[in-house]
Amino acid sequence: MRKTIVLAAVAALVSSSAAIAADKTLTIYTYESFTADWGPGPAVKKAFEQTCGCTVNYVSVEDGVALLNRLKLEGKDNKADIVLGLDTGLVADAKATGLFAPSGVSASAVSVPGGFSDDTFLPYDYGHFAVVYDTEKMKTPPKSLDELVNGNPDEKIAIEDPRTSTPGLGLLLWMKSVYGDKAPEAWAKLSKRVLTVTPGWSEAYGLFTKGEVPMVLSYTTSPAYHEMEEKTSRYQAASFSEGHYVQVEVAAATNTSHDPALAKSFLEFMVSPAFQDIIPTTNWMFPAAKTSQPLPDAFNKLVAPAKTFLMTPDEVARNRKAWVDEWVAAMGAK
Amino acid sequence: MAQAGGGLALAFIAGFIALALAPLLRFGGEFSIDRQVLSTLRFTLYQASLSTLISLVFGAALALSLARRPNLPGRIWIIRLMAAPMGLPALAGAFGVLAVWGRQGWVNDILGASGTDLQFNVYGLSGILIAHSFFNIPLAARLFYASLERLPSQYWLMAAHLGLGRVSLLRFVEWPALRRALPGAGGLVFMLCATSFTLVLTLGGGPAATTLEVAIYQALKFDFEPVRAVFLVGLQMLLAGAVLAFLKLFGAAEEEKNESGLLRRFDGQSALARTWDFLVIAGLIAFCGAPFAAIATSGLVASYPHLVTDPLFWRALATSFMLGPIAAVTAVILAYGLAIAHYGSASRVWKGALEAAGSLILLTPPVVLATGWFLWLKGGSGYGPYVLVALINALMSLPFAFHVLQPAIRTHFERTGRLSESLGIKGFERLRIVDFAILKRPLTTAFFFALSLSLGDLGAVALFGGDNLVTLPWLIYARLGSYRTSDAAALTLLLTLICMIFAVLGTRDSGTREGSIR
């Protein structure tokens, strides 16, 4: 990802000295795995620059939460034209900063499960949370969240901490969607199956691929990575009968953008096939709008949730703290 | 002059922290000591105290055994490699520990093969203690060993003449030396364990295992309540300050003034003593070495060609090698200033302040420092983030450098102070002729300590966008964060090897004096 930025910097130097009309620049704040050399960033930059007569600059931070924090820290002084990489759980907080402008782009091209729609934040991809399991270690994976909660406590799962990671928060909201007020009891049961709670996705998934734990909280799309990049179908997502919670990733233009027209044209580009084609095999998420080609085969084999859960940004913002406290208590903190 | 230098160093450190905290206060956020904070505080204190106790006891045992066996083959390598875990990023250490102690680890393999139904469960307090011991036993042993080595050789000779038994030797000779290192080593290990984050969460098994550091991170990052974060930092400082003051009670005044000679021991020749030393040394080498073996095993199976041809890897290496030395030199200069002033001062309060400056920095999480300074740098473009990372790394390695330098400087000045004065050697002249010649070795050690540490640093500033700043540990996380586990394992092995080389370089000329590391 860093190389991209270096390349971007070099490209910026080169193109500014070349005769291309590169006097226009579009600055995009995003997260690191987007701009990684294996992420969507490089291809997105190339594709947009071909049509916009501008230079795309990325400023990347650790993750979606850090992205919002950076904006809060900078306030009106931010240099972003576009902020790309928040998820719907952060949207209410993001709106409260008053730093974003209505997109002016019709959301009709967009179609995401859970039906998120907003005049400011435009979805660009989505993925369902799922329990991914190791087929070599587990012959009968849980078929529902309830089976996960009540299953054999010797078959463990690694989850992420909702206090420090977005997938962790995702599972919290998923449990809440399914169990409502009974969530604490469900968590107390599940806690016997939880091997450990890691600070982030990387640690949990690392434990999983190292064979330390047979299940991990990840995304339905994780098996596609292993299938396409590692040619193995060893890791599979479990389909849960209650349905799956979805993470929708969104982008928006800032109201401090020095070139709102350019920002708007990027958002239009974002929901067009040129952008959406890049997403599946680089961000390992589902495209939020039409692609020009059908999805790779590995994506067709993935778990397709019968039902999708998605809470409104306001509901998340209102309850997150209380629910996290509830989780801490239910997980057996003294 | 020395006091002014120390004061300057102190002012710099305090200023750097205060300036980082100040701009955070203008953001909202409320705070109070609620039930959760209390239970976090209790757990932090509990696990850190236990971890410290274990690390100190085993560290002292290892130091005593090593000091008693000056002719042990390969001894110098054991001492050198004690610095190796320091540069290891916490997550890499956690994976190493898990490869040995985890559900699928070697220990459970052995248990399984032996036909028992026993299964060792590492997750929980035991995992936290094992991981902290892995990181800190070598550190404690290193500091204790250095203190034992500073004992004049006459002591051993005299003890032999007097026919002191094991207990008396421990009581009259070794214990006073251990005691001198105790507050420093204990304080340092305590702070490292109290501020542990990744290890505690990953191995702790659930939110019951939460340290204040986690709460600070949560407050600053997830909840974005900077004021609460600052409040928790203050709480963490109070807690550690109390522990440091408590440990001070165990400290002992300096007494020895004699010339040091070759280290030669006359005791411990019995079969029992030999067996004991062998068990202690072999046992702790196995304990601390096994996770490294695991790192090597998983790192070696990875593929290297695409990694070493990746320009990003070279960029990370270049950044680390550019920032590391700057951080290390800064840390050594600050530590030197503090240690000189510490030696020359008669005021207990002032000494305490200097010591605190040399260690309390560990209690301000880098993410807090980085956030505060991010606000001053206004986003940070150009060289700003680089300078910041170098400075934060310098401050984070300062405590280690200080604890290496301070005892060495104390002993050195006690031995040469009066002579130099009577010869009228002062100022830079003295620094050049007397001090540098003797202090070259601890300075080198401190430098490479600091270098390893800053190499293993994640570059906290990049959390909010250091743009093209990339360090090796950052790269490891990035690979891990995008399904590339084996790339991460390979990079971890490379980083570990580099840190080991530094650990060896830091004790390079030690062989000349029978493994002296002073």
Side-chain angles (χ1 to χ4, degrees):
Chain A
M1 69 194 62
R2 294 310 174 123
K3 187 174 72 184
T4 323
I5 302 161
V6 180
L7 288 179
V10 172
L13 284 175
V14 171
S15 56
S16 63
S17 58
I20 308 163
D23 44 346
K24 286 200 287 182
T25 58
L26 181 78
T27 302
I28 301 177
Y29 280 16
T30 184
Y31 50 78
E32 303 237 311
S33 59
F34 191 87
T35 56
D37 52 358
W38 50 76
V44 164
K45 175 180 162 69
K46 200 169 152 228
F48 189 60
E49 283 178 351
Q50 274 171 3
T51 60
C52 71
C54 70
T55 306
V56 172
N57 283 331
Y58 289 120
V59 171
S60 58
V61 300
E62 196 180 24
D63 56 22
V65 182
L67 195 57
L68 181 55
N69 285 349
R70 170 146 182 165
L71 283 168
K72 286 180 183 170
L73 288 171
E74 286 185 326
K76 292 266 173 217
D77 297 333
N78 78 77
K79 296 166 197 76
D81 298 300
I82 294 285
V83 175
L84 182 150
L86 303 172
D87 72 17
T88 50
L90 297 168
V91 158
D93 262 9
K95 275 202 170 162
T97 62
L99 295 170
F100 292 94
S103 67
V105 176
S106 157
S108 59
V110 176
S111 141
V112 290
F116 174 82
S117 155
D118 191 82
D119 66 342
T120 304
F121 292 90
L122 209 56
Y124 63 91
D125 68 11
Y126 70 90
H128 285 96
F129 291 112
V131 169
V132 174
Y133 67 98
D134 184 343
T135 53
E136 287 179 14
K137 301 242 166 69
M138 277 190 99
K139 296 300 165 209
T140 48
K143 292 186 191 60
S144 63
L145 199 57
D146 215 49
E147 278 189 35
L148 177 75
V149 167
N150 293 305
N152 177 6
D154 289 337
E155 289 185 317
K156 301 284 186 190
I157 181 169
I159 63 169
E160 295 86 355
D161 198 320
R163 295 171 299 175
T164 50
S165 89
T166 9
L169 187 60
L171 180 61
L172 185 88
L173 300 177
W174 190 0
M175 291 280 279
K176 202 76 199 172
S177 306
V178 172
Y179 290 100
D181 292 343
K182 297 272 187 300
E185 288 87 344
W187 273 113
K189 274 190 205 156
L190 181 60
S191 72
K192 295 188 189 70
R193 278 194 105 167
V194 171
L195 180 70
T196 195
V197 183
T198 64
W201 178 89
S202 307
E203 291 87 352
Y205 213 80
L207 288 177
F208 174 67
T209 50
K210 278 174 187 290
E212 184 64 15
V213 64
M215 292 184 285
V216 65
L217 176 73
S218 187
Y219 297 90
T220 54
T221 43
S222 299
Y225 173 83
H226 297 289
E227 184 90 39
M228 295 183 72
E229 300 283 317
E230 295 171 350
K231 315 283 175 237
T232 172
S233 46
R234 177 175 170 182
Y235 305 112
Q236 293 298 331
S239 174
F240 281 3
S241 58
E242 297 95 339
H244 291 240
Y245 199 87
V246 70
Q247 181 173 34
V248 179
E249 298 196 287
V250 299
T254 59
N255 57 20
T256 47
S257 169
H258 66 277
D259 195 343
L262 185 62
K264 186 183 168 198
S265 73
F266 178 82
L267 291 177
E268 280 164 350
F269 164 76
M270 189 180 80
V271 293
S272 75
F275 180 102
Q276 294 291 321
D277 279 345
I278 301 167
I279 287 295
T281 55
T282 52
N283 223 27
W284 302 101
M285 294 286 262
F286 280 98
K290 279 206 177 60
T291 54
S292 63
Q293 280 139 28
L295 287 179
D297 212 29
F299 277 77
N300 296 324
K301 292 190 225 154
L302 299 177
V303 164
K307 190 181 168 199
T308 291
F309 298 108
L310 180 63
M311 291 187 189
T312 65
D314 288 332
E315 195 173 2
V316 177
R318 236 186 0 259
N319 296 306
R320 185 173 62 87
K321 269 202 178 154
W323 289 345
V324 166
D325 287 351
E326 189 182 276
W327 174 84
V328 169
M331 286 292 286
K334 271 140 232 131
Chain B
M1 166 73 182
Q3 296 310 313
L8 212 61
L10 185 68
F12 175 77
I13 298 159
F16 188 85
I17 300 177
L19 279 176
L21 296 183
L24 295 178
L25 293 175
R26 74 172 136 95
F27 292 91
E30 48 196 63
F31 57 87
S32 59
I33 302 193
D34 52 21
R35 208 176 51 86
Q36 251 189 54
V37 172
L38 271 183
S39 82
T40 306
L41 194 63
R42 203 179 320 124
F43 182 78
T44 307
L45 188 64
Y46 178 59
Q47 66 83 9
S49 306
L50 267 182
S51 301
T52 308
L53 190 68
I54 294 171
S55 303
L56 290 183
V57 167
F58 285 98
L62 180 57
L64 287 172
S65 288
L66 276 175
R68 197 155 70 167
R69 303 277 158 228
N71 298 318
L72 185 79
R75 197 176 84 118
I76 182 65
W77 286 96
I78 302 174
I79 294 160
R80 282 172 171 167
L81 291 178
M82 279 177 183
M86 263 190 319
L88 208 58
L91 183 59
F95 282 155
V97 165
L98 283 177
V100 179
W101 299 92
R103 289 173 84 222
Q104 308 295 325
W106 298 344
V107 169
N108 276 323
D109 284 352
I110 295 169
L111 281 178
S114 68
T116 58
D117 278 347
L118 285 175
Q119 252 248 342
F120 181 77
N121 177 24
V122 72
Y123 298 92
L125 186 63
S126 52
I128 296 173
L129 295 181
I130 289 175
H132 283 164
S133 309
F134 161 72
F135 274 99
N136 294 309
I137 286 177
L139 176 65
R142 189 77 157 61
L143 296 172
F144 281 136
Y145 180 82
S147 185
L148 285 170
E149 262 224 322
R150 272 187 291 272
L151 285 176
S153 55
Q154 289 92 323
Y155 280 27
W156 307 112
L157 194 61
M158 208 164 357
H161 280 311
L162 292 169
L164 291 189
R166 184 71 197 103
V167 176
S168 313
L169 190 73
L170 183 67
R171 182 170 157 207
F172 295 114
V173 183
E174 291 169 330
W175 172 238
L178 294 180
R179 260 182 78 179
R180 270 189 287 281
L182 188 69
L188 192 55
V189 172
F190 179 84
M191 280 186 290
L192 290 172
C193 297
T195 56
S196 179
F197 177 98
T198 305
L199 290 177
V200 166
L201 277 188
T202 307
L203 297 171
T210 297
T211 53
L212 277 173
E213 192 90 353
V214 176
I216 294 170
Y217 183 84
Q218 183 193 356
L220 193 61
K221 194 178 161 195
F222 238 59
D223 299 344
F224 200 72
E225 293 182 1
V227 173
R228 184 175 158 85
V230 173
F231 163 73
L232 291 170
V233 168
L235 203 62
Q236 182 152 287
M237 284 187 171
L238 276 180
L239 173 76
V243 170
L244 289 189
F246 172 73
L247 283 168
K248 268 311 245 188
L249 300 177
F250 292 94
E254 207 49 28
E255 42 162 64
E256 93 272 12
K257 304 266 180 198
N258 291 302
E259 269 305 311
S260 161
L262 290 179
L263 187 67
R264 189 159 163 227
R265 294 285 292 259
F266 307 91
D267 59 315
Q269 301 307 315
S270 72
L272 183 69
R274 282 170 187 278
T275 316
W276 167 261
D277 287 348
F278 172 78
L279 286 178
V280 167
I281 295 171
L284 288 174
I285 287 179
F287 177 77
C288 295
F292 281 105
I295 288 170
T297 332
S298 65
L300 282 176
V301 296
S303 96
Y304 284 87
H306 80 276
L307 274 185
V308 292
T309 50
D310 181 357
L312 199 56
F313 167 71
W314 292 104
R315 194 177 159 76
L317 212 58
T319 309
S320 291
F321 276 98
M322 179 183 73
L323 296 182
I326 299 173
V329 167
T330 314
V332 169
I333 291 173
L334 287 172
Y336 188 82
L338 291 175
I340 295 273
H342 185 269
Y343 171 74
S345 163
S347 153
R348 283 184 67 112
V349 177
W350 180 235
K351 267 179 187 283
L354 291 166
E355 272 171 43
S359 36
L360 285 175
I361 179 79
L362 284 179
L363 302 169
T364 323
V367 54
V368 174
L369 291 174
T371 308
W373 277 97
F374 174 88
L375 287 165
W376 287 110
L377 295 177
K378 294 237 180 260
S381 47
Y383 292 109
Y386 287 83
V387 175
L388 193 54
V389 169
L391 279 182
I392 290 179
N393 284 350
L395 290 177
M396 290 296 154
S397 21
L398 172 65
F400 300 86
F402 179 74
H403 286 290
V404 168
L405 275 182
Q406 187 258 332
I409 281 177
R410 189 180 60 196
T411 308
H412 165 68
F413 277 89
E414 260 153 16
R415 280 177 187 154
T416 60
R418 284 189 197 154
L419 185 63
S420 310
E421 221 161 89
S422 66
L423 291 173
I425 308 175
K426 276 190 286 196
F428 281 104
E429 197 73 336
R430 182 190 155 120
L431 204 63
R432 193 172 58 84
I433 304 174
V434 187
D435 300 341
F436 189 68
I438 301 293
L439 292 177
K440 196 169 66 184
R441 202 177 296 147
L443 283 171
T444 314
T445 306
F447 173 81
F448 281 105
F449 255 52
L451 197 58
S452 285
L453 270 171
S454 44
L455 206 65
D457 182 79
L458 206 54
V461 69
L463 178 66
F464 294 116
D467 291 354
N468 46 20
L469 195 146
V470 46
T471 64
L472 271 181
W474 190 264
L475 203 55
I476 294 175
Y477 263 90
R479 302 269 166 173
L480 208 55
S482 53
Y483 295 103
R484 286 157 177 84
T485 316
S486 74
D487 284 4
L491 289 170
T492 305
L493 180 59
L494 286 174
L495 179 63
T496 309
L497 289 177
I498 296 172
C499 286
M500 282 189 170
I501 293 170
F502 285 160
V504 171
L505 286 176
T507 43
R508 194 182 24 166
D509 50 357
S510 312
T512 53
R513 282 188 67 191
E514 287 196 17
S516 157
I517 58 156
R518 258 171 291 123

